[in-house]
Amino acid sequence: MTLIERLGLAALHRCDPERAHALSILALRTGLVPLAGTVTSPRLATTIAGLKLPNPIGLAAGYDKNAEAVTPLSRAGFGFVEVGAATPLPQPGNPKPRLFRLTGDRAVINRFGFNNEGAGVIAARLAAARREVPVGLNLGANKTSADRAGDFAKVLATCGPHVDFATVNVSSPNTEKLRDLQGKAALSALLAGVLATRDGLARPLPVFLKIAPDLSEAELADVAEVALASGIDAVIATNTTLSRDGLTSAAKGEAGGLSGAPLFDKSTRVLARLSKLTEGRLPLIGVGGIASPEDAYAKIRAGAAAVQLYSALVYQGLSLAADIARGLDRILARDGFANVAEAVGTGREEWL
C-alpha cells in the first residue's frame, strides 16, 4: 500500500461507512485512485465456464452496486469483476444506518437490502463501460415483488447483453425470505426460469449461483444436487453470514450480514464440502474473509477455481487485489504448480 492510499483510507475511515463507500466510488470514477492494471502470468491465467481470466482474483458483488465504476475497476488488478446486485425496479433498500465497520474484527456488517438504481439504469452503464477483464452482474429481486423468482430473469433479460456472466443471488440475508429460494423445489424452478432467459439471449452467457454459508449439511446437499441437475455454470460460496461467533467489536450486535475475516473458516468449510459433493463437475468460486495471498491459496486448495474479495478492501485498499494476485503467483511457483488449475482442491480434506 502506498502512502497516498494509506492516507486516503485513513480519511475515509473518519467518515460514516456508507458515505466513505460512496466517496471511494467517486474517487474511482474521477481518476483519483492509482490502478494496477492487469496482473497476469502463465501460472495465474485460468478459464472458468468459458471465461478467460488473467488471474483468479475477482471483485465480489456489493461494492459497485450500480455499475458506476466498471471501467476503472477492470483495470485495478482483478481478474474479473462482479457488480450489482440489480433488481428490475429501483429501490432504496433498508433504512440508514445500514453499514458498520468492525475494525477490531477486520469485518463488516451490512443490511443494505438490495439498494440500487434498477436494471435499466445499470444496463445502460454496463453498455457504455470499457472492460478489460470479464464483468458480471449479480441478479436480485425487488423486496415488494409478487414474483421474486421471475425478477431474476427480468434483470438478466435487461442486462444480459452487456455482461460476461450473471449470478443468481438467493443468499442475501437482508431481503426478507429471500433465502427461502435456496430450498430444493424453489431453487430448481428459479434456475430453470433464469436459464431459459439466458438461452434466449443473442449471446448466451454463463450463469452462477451464490449460496449462503449458513446452510445445514442436508440443505447444502440439496443445493449441490440442484446445481448439478440445472445446468448452471458455477457456484459462488459464500455470501455473508448471520453468525456472530467470536466478535469483539461494539457493532457486533447490529442486524445484517457479516463479512470479512471472521467468515473465512466457515465459508471455506462450506466450499470444501461443496467441492466434495460436486466432485469437480462444477467450478466453484470461493468468497469470504480473503485478505492475503495465503487466504486465496487456501480457498483454491479447498476447491475454488477462483476467488472474490470485498470487505478486506475496506481495511487494506484497492491495491490489495494486485498484491494478492502477485503473491499467489509466487506461492504457486514455490509449491511447484504450473498453473492455478493444478492447485484446485489439493487441500480439500483439511477442511472436511
Side-chain angles (χ1 to χ4, degrees):
M1 187 189 303
T2 65
L3 177 60
I4 292 175
E5 188 173 23
R6 188 176 293 110
L7 291 172
L9 277 177
L12 288 176
H13 277 238
R14 295 176 67 88
C15 300
D16 166 80
E18 189 164 353
R19 177 62 175 159
H21 182 184
L23 287 172
S24 71
I25 293 286
L26 179 62
L28 275 166
R29 290 174 53 201
T30 54
L32 297 177
V33 180
L35 301 174
T38 302
V39 177
T40 192
S41 76
R43 278 183 294 270
L44 291 175
T46 193
T47 301
I48 296 179
L51 299 174
K52 294 182 178 180
L53 311 181
N55 70 64
I57 312 302
L59 174 65
Y63 175 64
D64 190 6
K65 294 178 180 294
N66 292 303
E68 297 176 89
V70 172
T71 298
L73 285 171
S74 76
R75 299 170 180 166
F78 296 104
F80 61 112
V81 169
E82 185 174 345
V83 300
T87 56
L89 300 175
Q91 64 181 21
N94 294 322
K96 299 178 182 180
R98 54 193 179 180
L99 181 63
F100 306 88
R101 299 186 198 99
L102 284 71
T103 303
D105 297 302
R106 308 297 274 184
V108 173
I109 290 174
N110 91 82
R111 50 173 181 262
F112 279 116
F114 284 167
N115 57 308
N116 73 104
E117 295 179 55
V121 170
I122 290 170
R125 289 188 182 134
L126 288 165
R130 299 182 304 280
R131 53 188 191 264
E132 298 186 9
V133 299
V135 172
L137 178 66
N138 194 278
L139 313 178
N142 282 118
K143 183 177 181 179
T144 59
S145 175
D147 179 16
R148 287 185 178 174
D151 278 9
F152 294 92
K154 288 179 183 177
V155 176
L156 181 59
T158 301
C159 299
H162 313 299
V163 293
D164 301 301
F165 67 93
T167 298
V168 176
N169 183 0
V170 292
S171 53
S172 170
N174 298 318
T175 296
E176 187 179 1
K177 296 185 177 180
L178 183 73
R179 286 190 173 189
D180 292 350
L181 293 175
Q182 292 177 121
K184 194 172 182 179
L187 184 59
S188 295
L190 185 157
L191 292 177
V194 170
L195 292 173
T197 299
R198 183 273 303 274
D199 293 342
L201 295 175
R203 181 179 59 89
L205 72 168
V207 172
F208 303 163
L209 171 67
K210 190 167 188 175
I211 65 170
D214 304 319
L215 299 170
S216 68
E217 293 285 350
E219 289 168 336
L220 187 61
D222 284 347
V223 166
E225 182 181 339
V226 171
L228 289 168
S230 68
I232 63 163
D233 299 279
V235 176
I236 300 177
T238 66
N239 210 322
T240 58
T241 182
L242 293 172
S243 171
R244 298 293 187 266
D245 292 345
L247 299 181
T248 61
S249 300
K252 64 183 180 181
E254 293 290 345
L258 173 74
S259 58
L263 181 56
F264 182 83
D265 285 1
K266 185 172 192 173
S267 60
T268 307
R269 285 193 295 270
V270 171
L271 170 69
R273 291 201 299 270
L274 189 61
S275 175
K276 185 172 184 178
L277 286 165
T278 55
E279 299 177 328
R281 290 179 285 166
L282 195 63
L284 306 179
I285 297 171
V287 193
I290 296 171
S292 70
E294 292 76 16
D295 292 340
Y297 186 51
K299 294 278 190 187
I300 290 164
R301 293 188 69 243
V307 300
Q308 291 178 315
L309 60 141
Y310 172 13
S311 295
L313 303 178
V314 173
Y315 300 104
Q316 295 174 253
L318 191 63
S319 63
L320 180 64
D323 290 345
I324 289 179
R326 296 184 186 111
L328 177 63
D329 192 34
R330 292 190 293 268
I331 292 172
L332 292 169
R334 179 198 69 192
D335 289 357
F337 292 111
N339 55 69
V340 67
E342 288 185 358
V344 175
T346 55
R348 186 179 70 190
E349 297 302 316
E350 299 171 15
W351 293 94
L352 296 176

